[in-house]
Amino acid sequence: MRTLAIGWDVGGWLGRKQAVAVALIQADGSWSWVGRARAFSVAQILEGGVEDLARIAWPELEALSDHRVVVAIDAPLSFPHAFARMLAGEVPAHVGWAREIDNPLAYRDCDRHVATTYGKKPLSASFDKLGNNATVAMTMTRRWRDEGFRVLPFDPPGDGRRVALEAYPALFKRAGVVVERARALLPDGLVDGSDEKDAAICALTAVAYAGAKDERLPRLVRPPSTPTDGWIFGPEPSWLSAER
């Protein structure tokens, strides 16, 4: 069965700060980019599903039913557990932290993992403007569950035919520039720093997750057996450091 690897760089509820890119993995494990990475408005997918999202970049797509599908999304798919409990009325057990990243109301365990492993501090879904994007992503992925999608790591992956996961394009960059190993795998003609390029990096994450047969692809760091409040699927640090 062929696999669609879809990358979605999420914007907020208004404007056209969204972009999507799609790659196609053949049954033999070979893969290629299809269509063209495109910016769009979230209004274009609110009444539809993943098929509508994919067709923005690849209008020739006939039906998702013929494909396994992996969607990698550049936006938090959860809020920190402590923040959610506070909204439900719980008084935080502790206040005052030496470092901002240690504040459990602002950051998830997976955000701290990224900060420790890659030296990059993600924006906070609860404290920063990223909440606009996060609520879009959470709303849509919860709707996609009705299409049979499993949202990782919260749902068991099942047969793996319909999977959505969180990606983070910044992990493929140094000083804002995509590292050469990743740039060599992206479509030509994408502008540095553009939403379209970030969507393609997300799709590249989906290609790697899906197991395309390409030695150039990174292995992804998988979540622990009992993740708490989410997981960001990023390349193994050794893959990034190999070109230093």
Side-chain angles (χ1 to χ4, degrees):
M1 175 173 285
R2 299 188 300 174
T3 300
L4 280 183
I6 303 170
W8 179 17
D9 180 55
V10 182
W13 289 98
L14 299 175
R16 293 183 63 85
K17 291 292 292 180
Q18 320 271 339
V20 57
V22 180
L24 179 64
I25 306 171
Q26 302 291 346
D28 64 2
S30 62
W31 69 282
S32 60
W33 295 100
V34 292
R36 181 170 66 86
R38 295 178 186 273
F40 67 99
S41 166
V42 74
Q44 294 175 244
I45 62 170
L46 283 180
E47 301 303 320
V50 175
E51 192 168 297
D52 300 86
L53 175 66
R55 281 193 177 132
I56 291 170
W58 190 27
E60 293 78 17
L61 171 65
E62 294 182 359
L64 284 188
S65 58
D66 299 330
H67 304 83
R68 177 186 176 212
V69 184
V70 178
V71 188
I73 301 165
D74 180 19
L77 301 183
S78 62
F79 287 111
H81 276 335
F83 177 74
R85 292 195 299 267
M86 185 187 70
L87 293 181
E90 180 180 301
V91 178
H94 171 77
V95 292
W97 297 272
R99 302 184 307 163
E100 182 185 22
I101 192 68
D102 293 327
N103 185 339
L105 301 176
Y107 294 99
R108 303 168 294 171
D109 288 343
C110 61
D111 298 322
R112 282 182 280 277
H113 165 80
V114 164
T116 300
T117 304
Y118 300 94
K120 295 177 183 286
K121 187 179 73 172
L123 291 175
S124 165
S126 51
F127 281 22
D128 291 309
K129 62 181 181 180
L130 188 63
N132 188 4
N133 302 11
T135 54
V136 170
M138 292 181 208
T139 297
M140 298 310 296
T141 52
R142 290 172 188 180
R143 287 185 178 182
W144 295 348
R145 283 189 171 114
D146 292 338
E147 300 179 36
F149 275 83
R150 307 296 184 95
V151 182
L152 304 183
F154 313 105
D155 303 327
D159 61 8
R161 287 197 58 182
R162 297 285 186 271
V163 171
L165 53 90
E166 185 175 337
Y168 188 24
L171 299 184
F172 291 82
K173 302 176 183 179
R174 291 199 191 100
V177 178
V178 178
V179 300
E180 177 58 35
R181 298 192 83 182
R183 189 162 61 247
L185 296 168
L186 296 177
D188 295 330
L190 295 178
V191 177
D192 286 344
S194 66
D195 299 323
E196 292 87 346
K197 194 159 195 173
D198 280 350
I201 296 173
C202 288
L204 187 64
T205 304
V207 170
Y209 178 88
K213 294 180 180 178
D214 187 339
E215 293 181 353
R216 300 173 300 166
L217 289 167
R219 291 184 179 180
L220 302 181
V221 180
R222 302 296 175 118
S225 57
T226 55
T228 53
D229 51 3
W231 191 255
I232 297 169
F233 287 78
E236 289 186 348
S238 59
W239 185 82
L240 292 168
S241 62
E243 67 173 41
R244 284 184 182 275

